[in-house]
Amino acid sequence: MSVPDPQLVAATEIRARIDTSKPHSARFWNYFVGGKDNYEVDREIGDQIKQIFPGLVDVARTSRYFLGRAVRYLAVDQGIRQFLDIGTGLPTADNTHEVAQRLAPDARIVYVDNDPMVLAHARALLTSTPEGETAYLDTDLYDPDAILKAAAGTLDFSRPVALMILNTLGHVADYDQARALVSRLMDGLPPGSHLVICDGTATSKGMIAASEAYNSSGAVPYHVRGVEEIGGFFEGLELAEPGIVQVTRWRPDPGDSSGANVDAYGAVGRKP
């Protein structure tokens, strides 16, 4: 009897877990940032939401730019060489490891997501420099202890780590639970570690309507929050300037649309 190819078996199992009958946030977001890893059901709800609130496309794209600037700040200004990125999403251009390792080839990055399509793409695309290391964990945000335990196989928790949670915490319906998950993750990281968060915010009628339309599509709901609630995730941390602001206004590069209003806020905070 022939022995099944483990990689083929794993790929078959992953495909079996992919549900193309309902929109999915990673694929929906991929569509908004110009990616091609999405299905008709994702594009349909995306086009509907564009009609309701075209500004959500700006939220998706400017949040991506915020990621790049935050990683650059951490790698260059703060000397961070380890990144724990939860809610990876589908790989596009300038993923966390690409930005970090361009600046610091020895950087180590652990991606965390539990979506099967993200897993399939991550294994193929999230490669590393020879000096650094990139790993992917098929783990759930709701199990922070499991994340920390598995990430310790790649990251050295005696040295500072940047915890990246971008456009993900809105999936946690209960705000207190979301804060508790972030706190537990930060408690497991040493002093000098950083927290990076950005999320869509309930700062316009259009954004609220877009969120309601998405949540009624059958996808896993995404809850937009107030700016003060985004700030609550950083309690006890030292905020980097300029604090909690629209993602377009967080340390914009020269020539950026720094004055653009978007319904997404973010910040970077340091653990004392």
Side-chain angles (χ1 to χ4, degrees):
M1 294 180 61
S2 60
V3 178
D5 184 338
Q7 291 186 336
L8 181 60
V9 171
T12 302
E13 291 175 348
I14 289 171
R15 282 197 297 270
R17 290 169 53 193
I18 297 175
D19 183 358
T20 61
S21 66
K22 298 177 182 178
H24 186 278
S25 60
R27 303 191 311 249
F28 169 81
W29 216 241
N30 177 265
Y31 175 51
F32 271 12
V33 298
K36 300 184 183 301
D37 298 312
N38 45 72
Y39 292 100
E40 184 64 26
V41 67
D42 308 300
R43 295 188 288 274
E44 286 179 356
I45 186 61
D47 290 340
Q48 290 174 27
I49 289 177
K50 283 181 185 178
Q51 293 181 3
I52 296 170
F53 182 56
L56 191 57
V57 176
D58 295 328
V59 168
R61 292 176 178 170
T62 57
S63 295
R64 193 73 187 177
Y65 302 149
F66 167 78
L67 179 151
R69 297 196 304 276
V71 170
R72 187 175 65 205
Y73 163 76
L74 292 166
V76 175
D77 295 355
Q78 299 299 313
I80 298 295
R81 295 295 180 267
Q82 303 189 106
F83 297 82
L84 179 57
D85 188 331
I86 298 178
T88 305
L90 287 161
T92 55
D94 282 343
N95 302 287
T96 297
H97 77 286
E98 292 172 320
V99 178
Q101 291 183 343
R102 273 202 302 267
L103 301 164
D106 60 336
R108 296 185 170 206
I109 298 89
V110 172
Y111 290 104
V112 180
D113 209 301
N114 68 339
D115 176 71
M117 190 167 176
V118 172
L119 172 62
H121 283 74
R123 286 178 171 169
L125 300 176
L126 301 182
T127 57
S128 174
T129 58
E131 303 94 328
E133 187 171 352
T134 301
Y136 180 90
L137 304 180
D138 184 11
T139 310
D140 197 299
L141 170 64
Y142 291 95
D143 195 349
D145 291 327
I147 290 174
L148 292 168
K149 181 178 180 181
T154 301
L155 306 178
D156 177 2
F157 282 174
S158 69
R159 297 169 52 224
V161 176
L163 174 62
M164 317 275 298
I165 314 179
L166 278 67
N167 301 108
T168 297
L169 289 168
H171 286 303
V172 184
D174 184 85
Y175 177 61
D176 290 337
Q177 182 182 20
R179 285 192 59 172
L181 291 170
V182 173
S183 294
R184 176 65 193 97
L185 288 163
M186 288 302 296
D187 285 347
L189 304 180
S193 293
H194 288 71
L195 173 65
V196 182
I197 287 177
C198 81
D199 256 312
T201 49
T203 43
S204 76
K205 292 180 179 179
M207 185 63 166
I208 294 169
S211 175
E212 291 173 348
Y214 179 79
N215 292 347
S216 66
S217 70
V220 176
Y222 194 94
H223 306 275
V224 291
R225 297 192 163 103
V227 177
E228 71 284 354
E229 291 178 300
I230 302 298
F233 292 118
F234 293 91
E235 184 176 353
L237 304 181
E238 301 167 347
L239 287 173
E241 292 293 338
I244 300 161
V245 296
Q246 290 174 320
V247 292
T248 50
R249 293 187 167 98
W250 197 90
R251 297 175 177 257
D253 292 323
D256 276 2
S257 300
S258 56
N261 286 314
V262 293
D263 294 296
Y265 278 68
V268 177
R270 180 183 182 276
K271 181 176 179 179

